[in-house]
Amino acid sequence: MEWGSSHLSAHPFRRTSGLLCIVALVFKTLARVDGCYIQGTDSGICDSDLYDDIDVREANMPFCYKYVDYIPCVPQEKTLDPSRDYPSGRWYNYTVLTKDNWIEKQYNSILKWRLYEESSDPPRVKKGYDEWGNKGTTTVRFTKNDDCQAAYAAYFCWINFPRCDEQDESLMTCRSACENLMQACGYVKDMWRCGKSEYFNYGGSFNLDESHPEKAASQTAEEEEETGGLPIYYRDYFPGQPFRDYEAKSDGTPIPICTPAIRDAGARAWGGRGG
């Protein structure tokens, strides 16, 4: 499947019997190294076979394989032996395929919701309200926008299967990956959340500009009851942060210091710039 294609597999289990056999064998032969982090916990493994063999990667990542073109940090399979309470054992679904299926399910669910919100079907549309209950219309971003949909799928895969470095440590997300998503989906720059972590969830006071977070000056009675009187912060952390700037050698070869750190990754995913 080409990087620029907008076609995304919606049925990962609808495979030929031959490929299903490959899946069963692959799970027993993957090369693994302990130590990489998933969600802040060193519960992952760096799996070189998923990078070295495209067939192995597609069998285990039918949704994300075309984006994860590097050694990824993936869930370490763990099982508990049968016991009195669990005669069949437990946790047999801690696999790369299970996580890939979850990513696809979440992606399709969010995409379906967004396409509905951008349509004329919601009752609020006739009343002149956007998806957040404000007067106005919903900005169309995903509808008939293959670039946006592909960029979102790629980003979803990158932050869930981070890249491993030569020391088998998982790498933070490349800032350009976040920026590519914002560009592809047409977000104005003031809405981007790809900046430094220090500028988010900030409670201090300083002169605000477009790169700094904004703190609500006052709250309604309803907001005060909901927050218990705590201050409201407009700019929250964006999924995938913290971010790191993409770097390359003088000849253009990517330096693997962030995820995905693939030359022209944005262009492959949707036609944007590299990163």
Side-chain angles (χ1 to χ4, degrees):
M1 186 176 294
E2 296 296 327
W3 274 79
S5 172
S6 62
H7 175 72
L8 301 173
S9 172
H11 304 286
F13 290 113
R14 293 183 183 177
R15 300 280 165 178
T16 63
S17 58
L19 186 53
L20 288 175
C21 289
I22 291 175
V23 173
L25 292 173
V26 164
F27 286 152
K28 294 183 179 181
T29 60
L30 294 179
R32 295 164 176 169
V33 177
D34 295 342
C36 61
Y37 278 69
I38 296 179
Q39 294 295 324
T41 304
D42 57 346
S43 60
I45 52 175
C46 294
D47 195 329
S48 60
D49 278 355
L50 290 174
Y51 172 69
D52 295 334
D53 192 325
I54 184 65
D55 292 329
V56 172
R57 187 160 77 244
E58 183 176 5
N60 285 268
M61 298 179 176
F63 182 75
C64 288
Y65 81 95
K66 54 189 172 294
Y67 305 118
V68 183
D69 192 16
Y70 48 77
I71 297 177
C73 179
V74 298
Q76 182 175 14
E77 295 177 35
K78 298 179 180 179
T79 59
L80 291 182
D81 294 331
S83 64
R84 182 181 62 182
D85 295 329
Y86 299 93
S88 299
R90 299 176 66 190
W91 298 353
Y92 287 98
N93 63 341
Y94 277 38
T95 66
V96 179
L97 181 60
T98 298
K99 183 167 186 178
D100 185 83
N101 290 337
W102 176 84
I103 293 171
E104 181 181 31
K105 181 179 179 180
Q106 295 301 313
Y107 169 83
N108 287 330
S109 176
I110 294 171
L111 178 61
K112 181 180 179 180
W113 166 79
R114 184 64 197 181
L115 293 178
Y116 171 77
E117 293 295 341
E118 292 180 1
S119 72
S120 59
D121 296 335
R124 59 169 173 75
V125 173
K126 294 182 179 180
K127 299 179 181 180
Y129 290 95
D130 64 15
E131 70 270 42
W132 309 117
N134 301 315
K135 275 289 186 180
T137 58
T138 299
T139 301
V140 176
R141 303 188 188 282
F142 285 75
T143 303
K144 296 182 179 180
N145 188 347
D146 293 343
D147 288 344
C148 176
Q149 294 183 27
Y152 183 52
Y155 189 78
F156 212 148
C157 291
W158 289 334
I159 65 176
N160 278 283
F161 291 121
R163 179 172 183 155
C164 289
D165 63 11
E166 294 180 353
Q167 287 72 46
D168 300 315
E169 298 287 345
S170 51
L171 299 172
M172 63 181 67
T173 312
C174 294
R175 193 182 318 281
S176 55
C178 176
E179 293 173 348
N180 283 331
L181 173 61
M182 298 298 169
Q183 287 181 321
C185 296
Y187 288 96
V188 296
K189 201 164 186 178
D190 187 55
M191 296 179 67
W192 292 16
R193 296 294 179 265
C194 309
K196 297 180 179 180
S197 299
E198 63 188 275
Y199 294 142
F200 293 84
N201 280 351
Y202 183 78
S205 60
F206 45 69
N207 294 325
L208 297 176
D209 60 39
E210 63 179 13
S211 66
H212 288 158
E214 300 168 6
K215 177 180 175 182
S218 61
Q219 300 181 40
T220 64
E222 182 179 355
E223 289 173 339
E224 189 167 353
E225 180 179 354
E226 182 178 347
T227 64
L230 296 174
I232 295 176
Y233 300 91
Y234 288 148
R235 297 188 176 184
D236 200 355
Y237 293 119
F238 190 72
Q241 74 84 42
F243 301 105
R244 184 171 185 175
D245 290 330
Y246 168 84
E247 295 182 18
K249 299 179 181 178
S250 58
D251 63 357
T253 302
I255 300 175
I257 59 173
C258 58
T259 303
I262 300 173
R263 190 172 186 174
D264 297 327
R268 298 185 197 181
W270 64 274
R273 61 195 184 88

